[in-house]
Amino acid sequence: MVKVNGTQMEIAGVTVAEFLEKNGYDRTKVAVEINLDIVPKARYDSTVINDGDSVEVVSFVGGG
Amino acid sequence: MIPTREEMYAALEARHGRERQKKFSEAAVAVCGLGGLGSNVAIHLARAGVGRLTLIDFDNVDISNLNRQQYFPDQLGRPKAEALRETIHRIAPYCEINAVSAKITDDNMAELLGDCGFICECFDKANQKAMLVNGVLENFPGKYLVAASGMAGLGSANEIVTRKAGGRFYICGDGHSDVNELGTLYAPRVAVCAAHEATMILRLISGETGP
C-alpha cells in the first residue's frame, strides 16, 4: 500500500508520471514529494512509487 | 519628522521582545509576486521589522489591481516592485529593500533568491506557483518556503489554513478555490491568506516550525 495525501492507495509499481495522469493531475501545476523529498520534474517518468511510500501531491490552483 | 532608526527599533523591541526582534531584523525574505498576496505579505513583514526584503514582480500597477492589492491610484503604470518599495518605506523607512522588476525563471532563481533564507510564493498563476515551488525545493533545500493555493471567491474565510507540506515547505489557502473557476478575488479573503503566509514566515524566523 502507498499513502497518497494521507489516503491508502494500491498504486505501488507505477511511475509518478503515470500516477499523475491516471488521477487527472496537470503535471505543470503540481509538486510531488515522496517520503518528504521533492521529486524533480525531470524524474517524473523514471521515478517508481514503491510499496510503503508516503506520497504528497501538492496541487496548485490560480489566484493571488 | 520621521523617527530615527534607533527609535523605530526600540518601539518594535518593546512590543516583540528583544530576542525575537533581533531575529526579525536579521532575516532576509524574498516575496515572489507582488499582487494581492505579495503586496500584503511584504507590508506585514515590514511592519514586524523584518530587516531585508527582496520584492520581485515583472508587472506594472494596473487599475484592475486596486480591488485587492496594496497600491494607490497615483501609482498606476509604475513597476509594482518600485511602487511597493515606496509604500513600505513610508511604513518602515529603514527596511532594506531590493526591488526587482523581473520575471522569476528557472535560470535566474539562484541569483534572485540566493541570499534569502525565507521564500514566500505569492504568484497568481498555478503553473508559476508550481515552477517556483519545484525550483526552490529541488535547488535550495536549506531555505524555508511558504506558498499559497486557493483563496479566490467569497467562501468562508475559516476554510483558509496553513499546513506543513514537506520538511521546510508550508502551504496556505483552502486548497481548491480557483480564480479560473470562481472568476475573481476579493480583498479580505486574499488578505487572510496573505496573513497566513506572513504569520508562518514570522513563526519560522522565530524558530517555530509548526504550521
Side-chain angles (χ1 to χ4, degrees), chain B residues 59-164:
Chain B
D59 215 354
N60 296 331
V61 181
D62 184 80
I63 195 167
S64 65
N65 303 147
L66 297 178
N67 77 323
R68 70 187 190 283
Q69 305 184 18
Q70 298 295 340
Y71 300 102
F72 299 96
D74 62 12
Q75 294 176 321
L76 294 182
R78 297 188 49 206
K80 287 184 177 180
E82 279 180 29
L84 189 59
R85 173 172 59 188
E86 186 178 275
T87 300
I88 288 176
H89 274 161
R90 291 186 65 194
I91 295 166
Y94 307 106
C95 181
E96 193 183 314
I97 295 175
N98 180 19
V100 181
S101 295
K103 195 163 189 160
I104 303 177
T105 64
D106 284 323
D107 297 326
N108 65 12
M109 207 177 278
E111 183 194 338
L112 294 179
L113 309 180
D115 64 345
C116 293
F118 304 87
I119 313 293
C120 199
E121 181 282 309
C122 295
F123 288 144
D124 187 44
K125 293 191 170 62
N127 59 352
Q128 291 294 301
K129 290 172 177 290
M131 181 273 300
L132 183 71
V133 165
N134 280 288
V136 171
L137 294 178
E138 286 179 33
N139 301 308
F140 310 106
K143 295 184 190 296
Y144 282 104
L145 172 64
V146 179
S149 180
M151 77 301 296
L154 269 181
S156 172
N158 293 339
E159 286 181 44
I160 292 175
V161 296
T162 301
R163 69 183 184 89
K164 195 164 193 257

Side-chain angles (χ1 to χ4, degrees), chain A residues 28-33 36 38-42 44 56-64, chain B residues 36-37 68 123-124 126-127 129-130 133-134 137-138 149-151 163 165-166 171 178-179:
Chain A
T28 68
K29 297 179 180 173
V30 297
V32 180
E33 293 162 306
L36 292 181
I38 188 78
V39 180
K41 278 209 183 284
Y44 281 5
E56 174 89 21
V57 182
V58 179
S59 186
F60 292 95
V61 297
Chain B
L37 291 170
R68 70 187 190 283
F123 288 144
D124 187 44
N127 59 352
K129 290 172 177 290
V133 165
N134 280 288
L137 294 178
E138 286 179 33
S149 180
M151 77 301 296
R163 69 183 184 89
I171 186 155
D178 188 339
V179 71

